[in-house]
Amino acid sequence: MKRLSKFYQSRKLVVIGYDFHSEGGAWRSIYRFFRQVEADGQPVMLLDRNKQGTFRQLLAVVCFSPKILFNGLGTFYRWEGIFACLLRKDILIYLHDTAYMVEGYARRHPWKFRLFRLMLKRNIILCVSEQMQTYYRNEFGVTRSQVIHEAVALPASPDFDPNFRHIVMVGSVDERKGVKLFSAVAESAEKQGLPWKFHWIGALASQSLGALSRNVRWWGWQDTPLEFVKQADSFFLSSVDDPLPLACLEALALGKRCVVYRRTGIAELIDGIRGCAVYENYSAADALQALEKILNETPDSSAMVRIIEEKASVVALTAQIQQIVGLVEPSEGGR
């Protein structure tokens, strides 16, 4: 228990939400904030209550974390969010919701709404605009409020040095995605004096990985990773285990060279295409050799794009599933 409390007490801020990665946009700004401060090395934590097995984490956060922020009105659709804010009046509540949403909540959940009104008077309320701040002040008597506007991510525009060949990986920085292999290849390329630069776009998934290679540019989480892929000379999938990674498919759709391990699902699509290579052994030597091969040949971009159109496009996916569930008649030769 002491170890557990020490961990949560060390988090300067815990962000809690119930709609991360949904179609709505109310989670995006606070998620961008979290990723930014995480990349800056701040001891913060994000708790996505949509994920199973996180209730105990919620209890620990409420008991031990010095600063908590609940995101959105969705917090108060669950009793746990209401009880947490009742227990701690220092919890910040970031509201993105207009009168229309609040009135709908009041009609559907009258008892919860009564407690929600109480919390608006005692907790710190963050509003997305001055208009919303005025609404909550006039309607609910909010006294502790501050305007925190929503935020958009400006399109990334990485400036890759044209004097080098640039090799990119997109994914979480973790063991499964092959962070050690990617680093080892970058180190080997450096020792051989190859004019290559290595870039990894993705958030750090574990603090237990140790020091990351200085021969890799670790960009952290990015809203628009495809902007990096567009400027790359090759996509290097370093994953030891990956069913059919979307980032690699997107690179192929752009006609980019790709190098992947044999035991990843993408290997079956690209094997034999000029400008793509599959390394058989999961080793830095084999991966480096595969990269050298494709960087010295002209990629068959049209073949890459054709593979995507035929096997991994939305049109192809839709046609296959429609046939399987019987929404359309099977095509000739289909099973």
Side-chain angles (χ1 to χ4, degrees):
M1 178 64 74
K2 191 173 181 180
R3 188 177 176 183
L4 181 72
S5 64
K6 187 176 180 180
F7 171 80
Y8 286 102
Q9 285 168 1
S10 70
R11 302 302 95 182
K12 285 189 176 180
L13 174 68
V14 178
V15 176
I16 304 173
Y18 295 82
D19 61 348
F20 291 116
H21 308 294
S22 64
E23 289 187 5
W27 60 272
R28 295 179 185 273
S29 294
I30 202 65
Y31 187 78
R32 287 166 181 147
F33 157 79
F34 168 76
R35 287 304 185 188
Q36 182 64 54
V37 294
E38 180 190 51
D40 292 341
Q42 296 284 352
V44 294
M45 176 181 170
L46 184 139
L47 183 58
D48 183 354
R49 282 292 289 127
N50 277 330
K51 292 183 178 179
Q52 291 185 347
T54 55
F55 182 67
R56 288 184 180 180
Q57 284 182 286
L58 175 68
L59 293 178
V61 166
V62 173
C63 290
F64 303 119
S65 296
K67 190 65 69 175
I68 302 169
L69 185 153
F70 273 98
N71 187 61
L73 184 61
T75 301
F76 304 104
Y77 278 83
R78 299 199 194 186
W79 284 110
E80 66 184 46
I82 292 173
F83 291 145
C85 292
L86 284 173
L87 285 171
R88 293 186 52 173
K89 63 181 179 181
D90 63 332
I91 288 177
L92 293 88
I93 304 167
Y94 192 18
L95 293 176
H96 315 255
D97 311 275
T98 63
Y100 177 85
M101 299 296 293
V102 174
E103 289 166 6
Y105 171 67
R107 288 193 302 272
R108 291 190 293 273
H109 304 278
W111 286 102
K112 290 177 181 176
F113 179 67
R114 289 187 181 186
L115 295 173
F116 173 68
R117 291 184 68 105
L118 174 63
M119 284 173 287
L120 288 177
K121 291 181 179 180
R122 62 195 292 273
N123 287 73
I124 302 170
I125 309 301
L126 307 181
C127 306
V128 298
S129 67
E130 291 180 10
Q131 185 181 72
M132 288 299 93
Q133 186 182 49
T134 300
Y135 164 68
Y136 286 111
R137 280 177 177 172
N138 294 344
E139 189 69 24
F140 301 104
V142 169
T143 57
R144 304 169 71 199
S145 66
Q146 192 166 334
V147 175
I148 305 293
H149 295 113
E150 300 277 16
V152 297
L154 299 176
S157 54
D159 186 15
F160 285 0
D161 188 338
N163 296 313
F164 292 86
R165 311 302 292 276
H166 294 274
I167 297 150
V168 164
M169 168 64 180
V170 177
S172 300
V173 182
D174 62 21
E175 294 277 0
R176 177 174 166 261
K177 291 291 185 179
V179 63
K180 290 184 178 179
L181 179 70
F182 195 85
S183 297
V185 173
E187 300 282 348
S188 296
E190 174 73 15
K191 288 178 182 177
Q192 294 182 31
L194 295 171
W196 299 358
K197 295 289 185 183
F198 289 78
H199 309 264
W200 190 301
I201 296 88
L204 185 66
S206 172
Q207 300 291 335
S208 63
L209 293 171
L212 300 175
S213 172
R214 289 181 291 180
N215 289 327
V216 178
R217 176 82 182 267
W218 306 97
W219 291 88
W221 182 82
Q222 298 289 327
D223 244 8
T224 53
L226 212 57
E227 294 301 317
F228 294 80
V229 180
K230 286 177 182 177
Q231 295 195 40
D233 295 287
S234 173
F235 188 97
F236 170 27
L237 182 71
S238 55
S239 300
V240 67
D241 168 65
D242 230 326
L244 201 69
L246 291 175
C248 197
L249 292 176
E250 290 171 342
L252 288 168
L254 293 171
K256 295 293 179 179
R257 298 176 179 89
C258 288
V259 168
V260 306
Y261 177 43
R262 170 63 70 188
R263 293 188 181 180
T264 55
I266 200 77
E268 63 200 53
L269 295 182
I270 68 170
D271 204 4
I273 296 178
R274 191 174 70 251
C276 294
V278 178
Y279 53 100
E280 302 292 336
N281 299 307
Y282 194 74
S283 69
D286 275 35
L288 183 69
Q289 186 178 26
L291 280 166
E292 285 188 289
K293 172 183 176 294
I294 65 165
L295 288 171
N296 288 315
E297 63 187 22
T298 303
D300 188 349
S301 299
S302 60
M304 297 178 196
V305 174
R306 187 165 58 251
I307 283 290
I308 294 297
E309 290 175 343
E310 293 176 357
K311 296 184 178 295
S313 66
V314 175
V315 172
L317 174 77
T318 302
Q320 288 176 301
I321 294 178
Q322 285 190 135
Q323 286 188 17
I324 290 169
V325 301
L327 293 177
V328 295
E329 292 296 321
S331 58
E332 289 187 23
R335 289 184 293 174

